[in-house]
Amino acid sequence: MFTVRTPRVVAARRLHRRRDRDETGRFLAEGPQAVREALRTGVVTELFATAEAARRYPELAQDASLVDDSAMQALADTMQPQGLVAVCRQRDVPLATVLSGGPRLIAVCVDIRDPGNAGTVLRTADAAGATAVIFAGDAVDPYNGKAVRSSAGSLFHVSVVRARDTAGTVAALRAAGVQVLAADGYGDSDLFDLDEALSMPTAWLFGSEAHGLPKDLDADRRVRVPLYGGAESLNLAAAAAVCLYSSAKAMRGA
Amino acid sequence: MFTVRTPRVVAARRLHRRRDRDETGRFLAEGPQAVREALRTGVVTELFATAEAARRYPELAQDASLVDDSAMQALADTMQPQGLVAVCRQRDVPLATVLSGGPRLIAVCVDIRDPGNAGTVLRTADAAGATAVIFAGDAVDPYNGKAVRSSAGSLFHVSVVRARDTAGTVAALRAAGVQVLAADGYGDSDLFDLDEALSMPTAWLFGSEAHGLPKDLDADRRVRVPLYGGAESLNLAAAAAVCLYSSAKAMRGA
């Protein structure tokens, strides 16, 4: 009854590769938390569960195809899969859709290559109340397994936009009345001097840890998080948290 | 002239193991940035460099023992060592030393097991102007190679304290007039309602991502970072950044 390599398992496990994700518009979500959020969002096209997981999470696994441990190992990206893997439809939307909704807070990952960082920015942006996260330029695939895991479900809460053209994205944001703030350790605006400006609709640009942001982006301001000690910089996750929460606080008049 | 396994190389590479670090009170710092900070702090007892690194960083490597690539691979913790590894004296100080200096801001890592998180909290605490980082309870060794790397030099900027007794540490902090704020997703104080309280001398407690903080700690307040979107929590690095920078800002009256 349990088979390792049904054609559906074989097809699903190919989604570990970006090429197959891009071609099919599908991706994998793994573990009870992500699967719960995926089901709630209505993007699950197929669900695989081990018999043990089906017993443990009956509310999630009712429509699951049962697979054995070896098939689950093949489907899962982690060493200790929790017995649940969902095939999901990718859920990105065009930038125009986000802009038409009058967004207050947006995070833009520019050329971020590390999937853990991408997932962490998704999670932090969601927590701070952002409407959307835009993956711009040569950014990592947000449907990469590690990005999905690091997002801790937030990939399913915010609007995801993918945009190759970073300069065009910045221009579209500004044309829609969203101020664009570039997080930049060498920026000439101090984050903590900006309180009033932070209450306006804002898109924060975050660059890669290795290379920062492209120099030629036409942002409204380049903003640095002040460094009070001996550190030369913050890591990406920390800088994004401080910037996004500064905006969230200012927008609520707190 | 270059030998792989001089007794000194063999002794130094043992410092990858916690037991040997604990016994000798030494640890390894790797790469130009960490070695520069270690030299500046005066804790380097021995320095190894490849001939290439010695040419590239003459100001760092003047007293280095030259080793070949294979010895460097054995000494280094990363796949692409940059040719410089320093043996350093561990630099923790007693809590009493920190308290006698009238600290304004302290981060306390309670039972944090992940060395990357430990290093990131060191880096963020340093950036926010904290005087010290305390590793309390069953926390990871801050001299672990990955923690040293993630700290990006900040291990050499702040005072490092190690304290097995978490409850005793909390009591000592409070007795010294430092308020103790426990970062807790279920805390009853909202971070953004605390502005004035945040300007007082503060120690922030951060628990592990898996288990949070022990329930019985006698903190002054349990404080939650508000969650405005669908995320159930922030990751440790993001929560620490928001908390520490909220204090830093309040202390500067910004």
Side-chain angles (χ1 to χ4, degrees), chain A residues 180-246:
Chain A
V180 175
L181 302 182
D184 177 345
Y186 301 96
D188 45 18
S189 300
D190 182 318
L191 175 67
F192 291 161
D193 294 337
L194 288 186
D195 276 359
E196 283 205 27
L198 290 179
S199 62
M200 291 158 48
T202 298
W204 276 103
L205 306 184
F206 304 110
S208 74
E209 278 220 55
H211 306 294
L213 284 168
K215 292 292 163 240
D216 54 353
L217 290 179
D218 189 25
D220 289 277
R221 295 170 193 261
R222 300 188 85 92
V223 181
R224 65 178 190 282
V225 177
L227 300 171
Y228 298 117
E232 286 172 26
S233 63
L234 285 167
N235 79 2
L236 174 63
V242 174
C243 292
L244 291 166
Y245 264 93
S246 293

Side-chain angles (χ1 to χ4, degrees), chain A residues 5-252:
Chain A
R5 304 213 171 231
T6 65
R8 287 154 69 198
V9 168
V10 170
R13 76 173 291 203
R14 284 206 195 101
L15 297 173
H16 290 304
R17 293 194 304 194
R18 177 161 193 173
R19 200 185 64 192
D20 288 87
R21 290 195 298 272
D22 287 347
E23 280 175 5
T24 59
R26 299 279 191 275
F27 71 106
L28 298 175
E30 182 177 329
Q33 183 192 29
V35 167
R36 183 174 294 115
E37 301 295 327
L39 286 167
R40 195 178 287 163
T41 322
V43 295
V44 175
T45 63
E46 186 156 28
L47 183 58
F48 298 97
T50 59
E52 193 194 329
R55 273 193 301 274
R56 190 158 168 201
Y57 307 103
E59 79 288 5
L60 298 178
Q62 46 188 322
D63 296 322
S65 306
L66 291 184
V67 295
D68 66 10
D69 287 344
S70 144
M72 182 50 62
Q73 285 285 0
L75 287 167
D77 202 29
T78 53
M79 294 300 287
Q80 301 181 305
Q82 290 173 276
L84 285 169
V85 170
V87 177
C88 305
R89 272 191 305 278
Q90 296 186 9
R91 49 189 303 282
D92 16 318
V93 295
L95 179 57
T97 305
V98 169
L99 294 178
S100 70
R104 299 291 309 279
L105 184 59
I106 294 174
V108 189
C109 296
V110 180
D111 302 334
I112 289 180
R113 301 300 307 153
D114 180 76
N117 278 338
T120 301
V121 172
L122 275 163
R123 182 175 175 184
T124 303
D126 178 22
T131 327
V133 178
I134 302 174
F135 293 85
D138 191 27
V140 67
D141 179 8
Y143 302 108
N144 167 297
K146 190 170 177 200
V148 176
R149 274 200 308 286
S150 303
S151 88
S154 291
L155 178 66
F156 300 103
H157 301 155
V158 298
S159 296
V160 174
V161 176
R162 293 205 274 179
R164 294 287 307 180
D165 174 9
T166 305
T169 302
V170 168
L173 287 162
R174 295 184 66 179
V178 177
Q179 72 173 336
V180 175
L181 302 182
D184 177 345
Y186 301 96
D188 45 18
S189 300
D190 182 318
L191 175 67
F192 291 161
D193 294 337
L194 288 186
D195 276 359
E196 283 205 27
L198 290 179
S199 62
M200 291 158 48
T202 298
W204 276 103
L205 306 184
F206 304 110
S208 74
E209 278 220 55
H211 306 294
L213 284 168
K215 292 292 163 240
D216 54 353
L217 290 179
D218 189 25
D220 289 277
R221 295 170 193 261
R222 300 188 85 92
V223 181
R224 65 178 190 282
V225 177
L227 300 171
Y228 298 117
E232 286 172 26
S233 63
L234 285 167
N235 79 2
L236 174 63
V242 174
C243 292
L244 291 166
Y245 264 93
S246 293
S247 290
K249 185 180 182 194
M251 287 174 186
R252 277 155 191 84

